[in-house]
């Protein structure tokens, strides 16, 4: 009889522990998620003369720079290799748009004292290599679809930053980026080669994007970085200028 009482008490205690764990787990898992909007907004935010600068803001600035580092040479390549006027026109828009945006993002980074990458990331280098290996109609199709897919992903990031940033420089950069990206999406679609069904399947099967990179806060004045290492389809298609930093004020105490 006593053994049954002990076993019954143990079952009750176990049940209470399981219930408590079930209640606490959602709270813990939510607090630990790095991709919640509030976390992205407030993580590692620093004060600047132009308003608070969040990790999401800094990640956006980095992404604008990275976009120019591979889309500008891709556009230059399309102007030469495209076999239709529409593809060459799209390439021209990419060159003009990212020449403008790259100058803007370097200006913003200098005023906020942020470092910028000097070469495309691994995935972007793979895209450039894929385009470099294509010819003729295959090149036209790969150019239109690779670039259209990339611009579609960026479009949603720009909207999120524009809606939430509290920094005036980032807000203005988001406006310029939004206009440029929309123009590029339009001219890429005007090639008549975009696989919209493929884009829809990709959106349906691809999980949510990884949380924004938590870029470090501005480190303060340092020496300007060296020249960019060229990573291009060929020497004919140069990268934008290397990132620049403001020089320290030598006369400052």
């Amino acid at each position: 009889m006593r053994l049954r009482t002990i076993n019954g008490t143990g079952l009750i205690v176990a049940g209470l522990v399981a219930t408590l764990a079930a209640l606490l787990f959602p709270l813990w898992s939510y607090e630990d998620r790095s991709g919640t909007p509030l976390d992205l907004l407030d993580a590692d935010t620093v004060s600047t003369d132009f308003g608070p600068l969040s990790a999401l803001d800094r990640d956006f600035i980095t992404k604008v720079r990275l976009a120019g580092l591979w889309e500008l040479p891709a556009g230059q390549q399309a102007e030469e290799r495209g076999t239709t006027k529409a593809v060459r026109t799209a390439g021209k828009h990419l060159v003009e748009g990212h020449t403008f945006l790259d100058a803007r993002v370097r200006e913003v980074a200098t005023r906020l004292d942020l470092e910028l990458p000097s070469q495309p990331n691994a995935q972007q280098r793979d895209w450039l290599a894929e385009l470099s290996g294509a010819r003729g109609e295959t090149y036209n199709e790969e150019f239109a679809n690779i670039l259209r897919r990339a611009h579609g992903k960026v479009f949603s990031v720009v909207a999120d930053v524009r809606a939430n940033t509290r920094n005036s420089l980032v807000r203005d950069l988001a406006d310029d980026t939004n206009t440029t990206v929309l123009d590029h999406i339009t001219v890429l679609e005007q090639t008549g080669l975009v696989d919209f069904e493929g884009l829809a399947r990709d959106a349906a099967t691809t999980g949510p994007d990884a949380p924004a990179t938590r870029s470090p806060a501005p480190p303060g004045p340092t020496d300007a970085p060296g020249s960019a290492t060229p990573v291009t389809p060929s020497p004919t298609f140069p990268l934008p200028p290397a990132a620049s930093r403001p020089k320290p004020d030598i006369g400052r105490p």
Side-chain angles (χ1 to χ4, degrees):
M1 190 67 178
R2 184 179 177 184
L3 181 59
R4 290 182 180 177
T5 301
I6 294 174
N7 288 341
T9 302
L11 288 174
I12 292 172
V13 171
L16 289 173
V17 170
T19 301
L20 182 61
L23 291 172
L24 290 177
F25 179 77
L27 295 176
W28 167 81
S29 61
Y30 181 82
E31 289 296 332
D32 192 57
R33 282 173 55 194
S34 60
T36 60
L38 184 60
D39 181 78
L40 292 178
L41 184 64
D42 292 336
D44 302 322
T45 296
V46 296
S47 296
T48 76
D49 292 339
F50 309 96
L53 185 72
S54 70
L56 181 61
D57 294 334
R58 295 194 294 277
D59 184 69
F60 167 67
I61 292 169
T62 298
K63 280 182 167 61
V64 173
R65 170 65 175 179
L66 285 170
L69 287 173
W70 82 277
E71 291 179 27
L72 199 160
Q76 292 171 324
Q77 186 186 67
E79 286 187 280
E80 293 189 7
R81 292 193 185 179
T83 64
T84 69
K85 182 178 180 180
V87 169
R88 293 193 295 272
T89 297
K92 180 181 179 183
H93 278 242
L94 260 67
V95 171
E96 292 175 348
H98 284 290
T99 298
F100 165 72
L101 270 188
D102 194 74
R104 285 282 292 113
V105 75
R106 287 186 289 116
E107 174 193 2
V108 168
T110 297
R111 297 179 75 180
L112 292 173
D113 198 27
L114 295 173
E115 293 183 353
L116 291 174
S118 294
Q119 58 181 311
N121 63 32
Q123 183 182 51
Q124 292 164 343
R125 293 195 296 272
D126 287 344
W127 285 333
L128 286 172
E130 185 175 346
L131 290 173
S132 295
R135 294 292 186 276
E137 186 59 27
T138 299
Y139 175 83
N140 293 342
E141 292 178 358
E142 290 192 0
F143 168 77
N145 285 284
I146 290 174
L147 271 297
R148 172 60 179 82
R149 185 175 296 109
H151 279 80
K153 292 182 181 297
V154 169
F155 208 35
S156 60
V157 174
V158 177
D160 189 24
V161 171
R162 181 60 180 85
N164 294 301
T165 186
R166 293 165 288 174
N167 187 282
S168 61
L169 290 182
V170 174
R171 191 175 302 116
D172 290 343
L173 180 62
D175 285 340
D176 290 336
T177 305
N178 182 73
T179 300
T180 302
V181 171
L182 182 56
D183 172 71
H184 292 174
I185 285 176
T186 301
V187 293
L188 288 165
E189 291 175 351
Q190 287 174 346
T191 63
L193 299 172
V194 173
D195 179 8
F196 291 101
E197 293 297 326
L199 290 176
R201 288 193 301 270
D202 183 62
T205 58
T206 303
D209 291 339
T213 303
R214 293 192 176 186
S215 305
T222 62
D223 293 335
S227 300
T229 302
V231 181
T232 61
S234 79
T236 307
F237 313 111
L239 290 173
S244 59
R245 302 262 330 219
K247 295 182 179 179
D249 185 353
I250 298 177
R252 187 171 53 193

